[in-house]
Amino acid sequence: MPEQPLVHVSTHPLIQHKLAALRDASTDLRSFRELMRELAMLLCYEATMDVKLSPITVQTPMGAAPGFKAEDTIGLVPVLRAGLGMLEGIMQLLPNVQVWHIGLYRDEHTLRPVEYYNRLPTEPTVQVCFILDPMLATGGSAVATVDILKRWGVTRIKYLGLIASPEGVQRLSTAHPDVPIHVAAVDERLNEIGFIVPGLGDAGDRQFGT
Ligand code: PRP
C-alpha cells in the first residue's frame, strides 16, 4: 500500500471559501462558530478516507443489500478551549464516537503548554484518536496532546486543525512522524508572540467572545 502523505493541506473549494470568511476580522461571533463547525465537518470528511470497513448485509424493503460498517472505534480529543468549536460538527458526522477532552493553555511568556484537564481512564478505550485544535502555532500543544494520547496507549492518532504555521507543522511532524496532520492552510509564519500570521487571531477568543 502506498504510504500516506503526512501533511494534508486541503484544496477543497468549500474549505478554502469558508476559511477566508473565518479569517475575516469582520466576521461576527455567530458566523465564526458556524464556519468553524462546517470547516471541521469538511476536514473530518477528508481525514476519515482511510477508516477501516467491514462488509455487512442489510435488509432493504426489496431484499438483501451488501454494505459496509465502519470498524474503527474513534475518539475525538478536543483541546480546550478552542478545539470545542470543531467538536459539534464532527459529532454530527460521527455520532457514536467517544469524546475525551484535554485542557491545555499556552503560557504567555514561555509559550509552553500547561496541562489543566485530563480525565483519561487508565486503559485506552478507542483505537483511533482525532485531536481537534484549530491552531497549530508553535506546535507545543499538539506535541503535548499526542504525548498524552500515546502514554494512554493509543497508537493511531491524527491531528485535525484549521490553520498551521510552518514551524508548528515542522515541530509536530518531527516529534511524531506517525501522526498525519490535516489542516485547511499552512500560513506564512509565527510572529514574536507566537501568533500565526496572517492566521485569524485568537481562535478561542473569537468563538467565545472573550
Ligand atoms: C491556542 C490554540 C492551541 C494553542 C496553539 O490555545 O487553540 O491550543 O494555542 O499554540 P501552540 O501550537 O503554540 O501550542 P490557547 O493557549 O490560546 O488556549 P485557549 O484555546 O484556551 O484560548
Side-chain angles (χ1 to χ4, degrees), residues 79-82 105-106 133 135-141 202:
V79 179
L80 305 176
R81 296 173 300 164
Y105 71 86
R106 209 168 61 149
D133 192 340
M135 309 304 277
L136 181 61
T138 66
S141 304
D202 186 311

Side-chain angles (χ1 to χ4, degrees), residues 137-151:
T138 66
S141 304
V143 170
T145 309
V146 177
D147 286 340
I148 291 168
L149 296 176
K150 285 189 174 173
R151 275 200 301 274

Side-chain angles (χ1 to χ4, degrees), residues 179-191:
V179 173
I181 300 170
H182 290 261
V183 288
V186 177
D187 274 9
E188 200 182 302
R189 64 187 170 89
L190 276 184
N191 69 10

Side-chain angles (χ1 to χ4, degrees), residues 79-83 104-107 111-113 116 132-143 145 159 165 168 171 190 194-196 202-205 207-208 210:
V79 179
L80 305 176
R81 296 173 300 164
L104 295 176
Y105 71 86
R106 209 168 61 149
D107 182 283
L111 296 184
R112 292 225 183 96
Y116 64 90
L132 312 180
D133 192 340
M135 309 304 277
L136 181 61
T138 66
S141 304
V143 170
T145 309
Y159 175 92
S165 72
R171 181 146 168 209
L190 276 184
F195 271 64
I196 301 173
D202 186 311
D205 287 353
Q207 61 183 297
F208 296 117
T210 52

Side-chain angles (χ1 to χ4, degrees), residues 153-186:
V154 177
T155 52
R156 289 166 58 203
I157 300 168
K158 291 190 180 197
Y159 175 92
L160 274 66
L162 297 182
I163 304 180
S165 72
E167 296 89 335
V169 169
Q170 177 70 34
R171 181 146 168 209
L172 178 54
S173 54
T174 302
H176 295 291
D178 55 318
V179 173
I181 300 170
H182 290 261
V183 288
V186 177

Side-chain angles (χ1 to χ4, degrees), residues 3 12-13 25 43 46 61 63 65-67 77 100 108 111 113 140 148 152 158 160 172 174 187 199 201 203:
E3 213 171 285
H12 197 293
L43 277 166
E46 293 190 341
V77 183
W100 294 102
E108 274 178 27
L111 296 184
I148 291 168
W152 189 33
K158 291 190 180 197
L160 274 66
L172 178 54
T174 302
D187 274 9

Side-chain angles (χ1 to χ4, degrees), residues 57-66:
T57 303
V58 291
Q59 297 298 323
T60 80
M62 310 297 286

